[in-house]
Amino acid sequence: AKKTTDQRVFLSLDIGEETVTAGLWKIENNVVEFLKTSSPIEWKDTSPTDLAEAADVALGELGQDADNVHDIVFGLQESWVQGQTIVADRKPVLKILKEQLELHPLGFVVTTEALLHYLQAEEGGPISAVLLQYTTEHIIVTLVKAGKVMRTEQVGRSGDSIADVLEGLTRFAGTTLPSRMIVY
């Protein structure tokens, strides 16, 4: 008897504040394996089609292996999600993306939460840390305690990263801060 393996291939699209990154991955016998990722492609949140154009470039970088794959999982910023649903003003942008690129969305994850799940799996337990995400215009400071996002602050970049991080941490006054910072 020939042994059959259960394998599915998926796309992912991590939609950041100013870049979008595509990924190609597979699940085989319940094991997830990343096959390829694109470089981060810049996009500006100025027209409804800009994200679709940037995503098209990112997905194109994955090459022929991704050409016939349409199932996709989105990685979204916290501001795009309320509870378990996508906020109303972001739905049309994702609809254009889906239609123009002929994608079949399976769902979404909040990128920060996905990062926390990954770190928890790597370290064998929930983490406590301050997460620092740098974009061109902001530093996003997230306080995580025992694997849960307690609070997120967005600080405009002044050109002095240390002062900007301190500004973000100051907004958590009255809270004991974890000793660890993770920059991503």
Side-chain angles (χ1 to χ4, degrees):
K2 191 176 177 188
K3 188 180 173 193
T4 58
T5 57
D6 183 24
Q7 177 183 309
R8 286 186 70 190
V9 181
F10 302 90
L11 297 169
S12 61
L13 207 54
D14 184 50
I15 304 168
E17 188 175 306
E18 46 199 24
T19 61
V20 61
T21 308
L24 180 66
W25 49 287
K26 72 176 179 179
I27 298 176
E28 189 169 1
N29 299 324
N30 294 321
V31 177
V32 176
E33 181 186 349
F34 257 92
L35 304 173
K36 206 179 270 187
T37 55
S38 75
S39 55
I41 305 298
E42 288 187 19
W43 74 288
K44 288 191 174 29
D45 202 356
T46 50
S47 83
T49 57
D50 200 57
L51 176 59
E53 289 164 13
D56 192 31
V57 172
L59 291 166
E61 282 191 11
L62 299 176
Q64 288 183 322
D65 294 342
D67 284 351
N68 296 317
V69 182
H70 301 282
D71 289 341
I72 191 162
V73 175
F74 295 120
L76 303 176
Q77 307 161 61
E78 283 180 47
S79 62
W80 286 43
V81 177
Q82 181 111 41
Q84 299 299 311
T85 59
I86 295 166
V87 296
D89 66 334
R90 293 300 178 180
K91 286 181 180 175
V93 177
L94 292 172
K95 186 173 188 232
I96 289 169
L97 180 68
K98 175 187 134 179
E99 289 171 357
Q100 285 191 359
L101 303 181
E102 298 174 8
L103 299 171
H104 177 249
L106 301 174
F108 68 88
V109 296
V110 175
T111 303
T112 309
E113 290 173 12
L115 174 65
L116 291 176
H117 283 290
Y118 170 76
L119 291 171
Q120 182 169 327
E122 286 292 300
E123 297 185 8
I127 70 156
S128 293
V130 174
L131 303 180
L132 301 174
Q133 181 184 9
Y134 283 77
T135 69
T136 306
E137 305 205 354
H138 301 105
I139 293 178
I140 300 161
V141 185
T142 303
L143 175 62
V144 178
K145 288 191 173 179
K148 299 262 184 263
V149 173
M150 306 307 287
R151 193 161 152 205
T152 298
E153 291 290 337
Q154 188 168 290
V155 179
R157 302 235 358 222
S158 68
D160 182 348
S161 290
I162 293 170
D164 297 341
V165 170
L166 285 172
E167 165 68 26
L169 294 175
T170 303
R171 295 181 189 177
F172 301 135
T175 304
T176 307
L177 295 175
S179 59
R180 192 169 157 198
M181 286 187 179
I182 298 172
V183 180
Y184 74 105

